[in-house]
Amino acid sequence: MGKRLESRVALITGAGQGIGRAIALRFADEGAKVVVVDIAEASANAVADEIKAAGNEALAAVCDVTQRDQVGALVERVLSAYGQIDILGNNAGITRDARLIKMTEEDFDRVIDVNLKGAFNLAQAVAGPMIERGYGRIISTASVVALYGNFGQTNYVATKAGVIGMTRVWARELGPKGITANAVAPGFIATDMIKTVPEKVIEGMIERTPVRRLGAPEDIAAAYLFLASEEASFVNGIVLSVDGGLVI
Ligand code: NAP
């Protein structure tokens, strides 16, 4: 098989580490020009350098997805560098966990801002250029917790359920324009995000996962690649669980 994303331009948020980094590296390997977007400059640069060192094309971009002026400037910059945006990976996300009784308004608002409004900001900013070209793939990182709820995550679960809802709206609105929108729902993936989760909880999750392991960022990147590829052109509005069977 030839490279699956040859001549595509992909913009991935939260790509400085973890799942986003794995998506960026995989997409670059498959021939895409990758815009490595992160709020942290050093990590965005490091991933873009890694891609270039492998002989592929990348652009590092610092952008806080909650800031609409930064998102607008980012899209302008990518369009002037590459002329098009084919794939958006809405992947930046944070947690600020606390039980309902203890959750602060500030923590609720910040998680909504990054995970939900950030995804909206990016999708809205790329939709115009995608509609103009009659082609696009919008893929967003949801979570299994959107499907079953999770202790201590009122804010986070609300955003991930919201991302699934927005994906279905985009699938309907943009499908006729040649653009598909899909979500990936990871189970527990070994990244910095779950470093705050107690060891006992992780062990319990592995026990409840039929394939008996945590996921790797590369497991999620593989699902992203499928949804971004030509093979998925008739896949629209779905939530692809990549969780080892945790939620069946
Ligand atoms: P991660 O290692 O913490 O990576 C998230 C990245 O997003 C970080 O580089 C982070 O930068 C960046 N980011 C945070 N706020 C941002 C903002 N406002 N603008 C732009 N970038 C921002 O987490 P991960 O595990 O790879 O998570 C990636 C996605 O998968 C998230 O949407 C997460 O909710 C989802 N997910 C993860 C799991 C899991 O088990 N790990 C499971 C289900 C879903 P800083 O580090 O500088 O803040």
Side-chain angles (χ1 to χ4, degrees):
M1 203 191 298
K3 293 197 172 187
R4 293 160 76 182
L5 301 180
E6 199 73 68
S7 84
R8 298 293 181 204
V9 176
L11 190 160
I12 314 295
T13 67
Q17 61 182 54
I19 292 170
R21 171 177 171 274
I23 296 166
L25 296 177
R26 187 74 208 271
F27 277 20
D29 270 349
E30 294 289 345
K33 300 180 177 99
V34 179
V35 186
V36 180
V37 181
D38 206 281
I39 197 169
E41 185 171 17
S43 56
N45 284 336
V47 173
D49 288 347
E50 206 175 334
I51 290 172
K52 288 184 221 160
N56 296 314
E57 176 73 31
L59 190 70
V62 180
C63 174
D64 177 344
V65 296
T66 68
Q67 302 302 308
R68 290 172 65 86
D69 53 342
Q70 292 183 28
V71 171
L74 167 71
V75 168
E76 284 310 312
R77 184 175 161 211
V78 177
L79 290 176
S80 62
Y82 296 136
Q84 66 199 62
I85 299 173
D86 300 294
I87 304 161
L88 167 64
N90 257 330
N91 171 77
I94 60 167
T95 55
R96 295 280 187 279
D97 296 354
R99 279 177 288 154
L100 172 62
I101 295 285
K102 294 195 165 170
M103 185 169 285
T104 64
E105 183 180 8
E106 192 191 358
D107 283 350
F108 183 84
D109 288 347
R110 183 64 188 162
V111 173
I112 298 285
D113 244 19
V114 176
N115 301 9
L116 186 70
K117 192 167 179 201
F120 161 73
N121 289 342
L122 267 295
Q124 190 178 48
V126 302
M130 283 181 175
I131 289 168
E132 252 171 55
R133 292 185 61 244
Y135 184 89
R137 295 288 163 85
I138 299 175
I139 309 164
S140 302
T141 311
S143 172
V144 282
V145 300
L147 309 176
Y148 71 77
N150 200 22
F151 194 96
Q153 293 198 311
T154 294
N155 49 3
Y156 184 80
V157 170
T159 65
K160 296 304 184 182
V163 160
I164 290 173
M166 293 196 299
T167 295
R168 291 178 175 145
V169 173
W170 301 338
R172 288 184 188 280
E173 286 187 7
L174 304 175
K177 318 276 184 195
I179 300 159
T180 63
N182 292 290
V184 176
F188 279 73
I189 310 300
T191 70
D192 282 2
M193 181 169 274
I194 64 164
K195 278 191 175 151
T196 55
V197 179
E199 189 60 36
K200 263 185 76 177
V201 174
I202 300 282
E203 278 166 18
M205 280 300 163
I206 294 173
E207 198 57 39
R208 283 168 47 202
T209 302
V211 302
R212 294 285 191 279
R213 66 171 174 88
L214 286 179
E218 291 73 21
D219 292 317
I220 308 306
Y224 253 78
L225 174 60
F226 167 65
L227 292 171
S229 71
E230 290 313 310
E231 289 93 326
S233 62
F234 202 54
V235 179
N236 191 25
I238 69 152
V239 183
L240 178 52
S241 288
V242 184
D243 64 2
L246 179 62
V247 179
I248 296 174

